[in-house]
Amino acid sequence: YMKTDRLYKRPFNEAFEETPMLVAVLTYVGYGVLTLFGYLRDFMRQWKIEKCQNATEREEQKDFVPLYQDFENFYNRNLYMRIRDSWNRPICSVPGAKVDMMERVSHDYNWTFTYTGRVIKDIINMGSYNYLGFAQKAGTCQQAAAKVLSQYGAGVCSTRQEMGNLDKHEELEKLVARFLGVESAMAYGMGFATNSMNIPALVGKGCLILSDELNHASLVLGARLSGATIRIFKHNNMQSLEKLLKDAIVHGQPRTRRPWKKILILVEGIYSMEGSIVRLPEVIALKKKYKSYLYLDEAHSIGALGPSGRGVVEYFGLSPEDVDVMMGTFTKSFGAAGGYIGGKKELIDYLRTYSHSAVYATSLSPPVVEQIITSMKCIMGEDGTNVARVQQLAENTRYFRRRLKEMGFIIYGNEDSPVVPLMLYMPAKIGAFGREMLKRNIGVVVVGFPATPIIESRARFCLSAAHTKEMLDTALKEINEVGDLLQLKYSRHRLVPLLDRPFDETTYEETED
């Protein structure tokens, strides 16, 4: 296996501490108890002992094929419903470093919510992907966007290929290509669709996609829509990827044994649930060795990594030419909407003609385009207002991660990743953590099954360049308190090398035609 150390120009420290045995057992017990109570409640609802709140089919429809299987709703009804108040919280201000939230209460155990009419002011926002702090209501970006709004209006009312191709779009694409260091780039109106609609344009039947097990839903959907065969490698595990590449080249397509038309490797820059960074130097070395193509999704890493915010390629000191398809979104670091794809001119010209989201989707709204242009120029230091946002984010990230680890929490991911997952594990602690932090005026995102493996529930903090040290210290003080209250300090500093992490074989069946 190739010597990896010489591929990295900088230290690469990533840790996933193993779940303590007792915690894992208690977590399963917790889910067991909740499931038992769920069955009991369902039994009581059936016999009209307890009022049935959820949607049921009418009597005259009982003989039809059921619309949804009852068990699919079991989890929503009996587990999620108990802690539903931690999600979909309505905010009513700019999602900057601080945010205002509308207060709501429930009198029927979260089946319905009513608004009290009160607004909870100045909650420290640890949940939005506002990495560089461009979500603001005043400033150069906003003035420029307002000016463009008065000049061009809000909507374009047509696709790029018809009457919806503005000079602003052309300007944006030239700027994006220059920012990324690629020949050409194309912008799309929706980040999710950039993945799900462009992968089918690049690969099809007779092609092979090698996808990381933790890739985002948009990549998974794109891969499925393409009709290509999909094989999945363990998260960030280069041995697993190399084995799949070898097998693909040795065995070719199933049944016919013809060689694959194309092999496309799908990876992300930063994984938004694990906080890990892709091992890009090794992926590129493998890609070159086995003559395959690489599709890199930089939704969370563009703007947030690298000395000048140019993403994971710059972070590792690599050349953008080594990545065949550079995809990213404008929704996180740039505080706007939409996505882009960058690469060789031939690739982009091909996508302009064949991509569904280029041909059938309405083009980007002009003020949004202007927000992207001004924020990108600000990152590049071309508008004369270069506040060192990228450096500020890196400092905040290191400080916050270091302090949480010192407190004794289990924190996943890479030390340079602005996405910080704090492990909660037990189902009851998911809701408790979200509520306790809100009481202390801090907004956090808590994540459970099905977005994570069933026992790996977590809280996820997203750092921003807009967070001041005082805000972070306040948040850390409260997190420390809540950690003691809920006994969340599980860490025994036993690190598992990435390769030995538990890996669920069941979800990786291969898709054949």
Side-chain angles (χ1 to χ4, degrees):
Y1 187 66
M2 59 184 155
K3 187 83 186 80
T4 55
D5 298 346
R6 61 185 168 73
L7 293 174
Y8 289 92
K9 296 186 175 72
R10 52 176 306 137
F12 186 78
N13 300 325
E14 209 159 86
F16 297 91
E17 189 172 330
E18 64 180 329
T19 311
M21 195 57 188
L22 179 65
V23 175
V25 170
L26 290 173
T27 303
Y28 278 120
V29 168
Y31 276 106
V33 170
L34 281 167
T35 308
L36 284 174
F37 269 88
Y39 280 118
L40 177 69
R41 301 283 290 272
D42 277 355
F43 174 78
M44 288 164 73
R45 287 182 190 123
Q46 207 176 344
W47 290 99
K48 307 279 192 286
I49 302 168
E50 184 187 327
K51 186 178 170 221
C52 184
Q53 298 261 22
N54 58 303
T56 46
E57 280 157 351
R58 298 201 302 268
E59 271 311 311
E60 57 266 36
Q61 289 175 326
K62 285 281 189 246
D63 302 332
F64 288 87
V65 179
L67 214 50
Y68 51 76
Q69 294 309 314
D70 205 34
F71 189 77
E72 291 170 22
N73 207 335
F74 179 88
Y75 177 85
N76 278 356
R77 207 168 44 231
N78 297 308
L79 279 82
Y80 171 65
M81 198 54 78
R82 294 164 173 265
I83 52 175
R84 195 165 79 113
D85 53 304
S86 296
W87 287 277
N88 307 321
R89 291 175 176 155
I91 64 169
C92 51
S93 71
V94 175
K98 292 194 168 175
V99 69
D100 299 342
M101 199 178 284
M102 292 166 74
E103 190 180 53
R104 57 181 188 174
V105 291
S106 176
H107 300 296
D108 52 6
Y109 304 101
N110 291 350
W111 283 95
T112 57
F113 292 105
T114 48
Y115 293 108
T116 59
R118 203 169 80 84
V119 170
I120 313 169
K121 291 268 187 207
D122 289 337
I123 292 175
I124 296 178
N125 177 7
M126 301 299 299
S128 300
Y129 306 128
N130 180 23
Y131 299 130
L132 295 179
F134 281 113
Q136 51 203 127
K137 58 184 176 197
T140 46
C141 296
Q142 283 52 49
Q143 285 159 10
K147 188 169 167 232
V148 166
L149 179 66
S150 62
Q151 200 178 337
Y152 288 87
V156 184
C157 303
S158 182
T159 68
R160 286 290 294 273
Q161 293 199 348
E162 287 148 17
M163 296 289 285
N165 191 20
L166 302 177
D167 52 352
K168 281 283 166 207
H169 293 136
E170 304 275 337
E171 184 190 339
L172 171 67
E173 288 174 350
K174 286 196 180 74
L175 182 68
V176 170
R178 211 176 72 213
F179 180 65
L180 297 173
V182 293
E183 285 177 18
S184 183
M186 172 156 195
Y188 299 93
M190 178 184 179
F192 188 98
T194 308
N195 276 335
S196 59
M197 296 286 107
N198 285 306
I199 296 172
L202 296 169
V203 288
K205 217 166 144 62
C207 300
L208 174 67
I209 290 175
L210 301 179
S211 177
D212 189 292
E213 61 171 326
L214 295 178
N215 274 345
H216 187 257
S218 59
L219 287 163
V220 174
L221 180 67
R224 287 183 180 163
L225 286 174
S226 72
T229 301
I230 305 164
R231 290 184 187 151
I232 299 191
F233 61 93
K234 296 185 191 181
H235 175 54
N236 237 348
N237 179 335
M238 294 304 118
Q239 281 87 335
S240 169
L241 174 59
E242 183 159 26
K243 185 178 177 301
L244 286 181
L245 280 164
K246 274 184 181 156
D247 287 354
I249 284 163
V250 172
H251 297 301
Q253 296 187 37
R255 293 191 295 282
T256 62
R257 299 291 170 227
R258 288 187 190 135
W260 295 101
K261 291 179 188 168
K262 289 190 201 107
I263 298 177
L264 181 67
I265 302 167
L266 294 185
V267 290
E268 286 187 49
I270 291 180
Y271 290 84
S272 62
M273 285 292 172
E274 306 297 301
S276 52
I277 296 176
V278 66
R279 293 174 174 275
L280 195 61
E282 292 174 68
V283 177
I284 287 179
L286 283 176
K287 172 205 113 134
K288 287 179 174 170
K289 185 174 169 186
Y290 293 101
K291 308 272 187 290
S292 49
Y293 295 97
L294 176 59
Y295 185 111
L296 171 67
D297 173 347
E298 291 214 82
H300 292 266
S301 54
I302 194 73
L305 281 184
S308 59
R310 282 169 170 80
V312 71
V313 177
E314 186 190 49
Y315 173 80
F316 286 117
L318 301 164
S319 157
E321 284 165 17
D322 289 335
V323 181
D324 302 286
V325 188
M326 291 185 65
M327 175 271 167
T329 61
F330 301 125
T331 47
K332 323 270 190 301
S333 299
F334 302 100
Y340 65 82
I341 281 185
K344 293 251 184 303
K345 189 172 182 310
E346 301 92 65
L347 168 80
I348 303 301
D349 288 348
Y350 171 81
L351 286 176
R352 278 187 208 285
T353 323
Y354 289 99
S355 155
H356 278 328
S357 42
V359 185
Y360 298 110
T362 303
S363 42
L364 271 158
S365 161
V368 172
V369 173
E370 189 59 27
Q371 162 74 23
I372 303 164
I373 291 172
T374 41
S375 57
M376 199 173 277
K377 282 184 174 163
C378 176
I379 297 169
M380 293 162 84
E382 287 182 11
D383 64 346
T385 62
N386 185 18
V387 273
R389 292 173 191 252
V390 182
Q391 281 72 24
Q392 187 60 53
L393 175 66
E395 280 167 35
N396 287 356
T397 296
R398 291 229 180 81
Y399 174 68
F400 196 74
R401 277 182 170 272
R402 193 191 80 233
R403 288 283 310 273
L404 285 179
K405 277 191 183 135
E406 284 165 6
M407 288 174 192
F409 293 105
I410 292 186
I411 303 295
Y412 272 7
N414 192 298
E415 60 178 14
D416 288 327
S417 157
V419 178
V420 186
L422 181 152
M423 303 310 287
L424 303 173
Y425 299 112
M426 309 191 191
K429 292 184 182 181
I430 303 174
F433 188 79
R435 289 170 194 149
E436 287 298 327
M437 292 306 282
L438 187 59
K439 267 187 212 163
R440 292 165 167 74
N441 249 31
I442 294 167
V444 301
V445 172
V446 282
V447 194
F449 183 79
T452 65
I454 188 111
I455 68 159
E456 291 188 3
S457 306
R458 60 198 69 174
R460 186 187 60 188
F461 306 104
C462 291
L463 291 161
S464 166
H467 288 139
T468 60
K469 187 141 186 306
E470 295 75 54
M471 285 181 202
L472 293 181
D473 285 337
T474 308
L476 285 160
K477 183 176 134 288
E478 306 296 6
I479 292 167
N480 194 17
E481 251 175 58
V482 174
D484 289 332
L485 178 72
L486 302 178
Q487 296 180 4
L488 294 171
K489 297 183 179 177
Y490 301 118
S491 178
R492 300 174 308 192
H493 296 296
R494 253 197 225 154
L495 305 181
V496 212
L498 196 57
L499 310 178
D500 303 333
R501 283 190 71 205
F503 168 67
D504 181 7
E505 295 293 350
T506 51
T507 49
Y508 304 101
E509 74 283 27
E510 188 172 297
T511 52
E512 293 300 353
D513 331 320

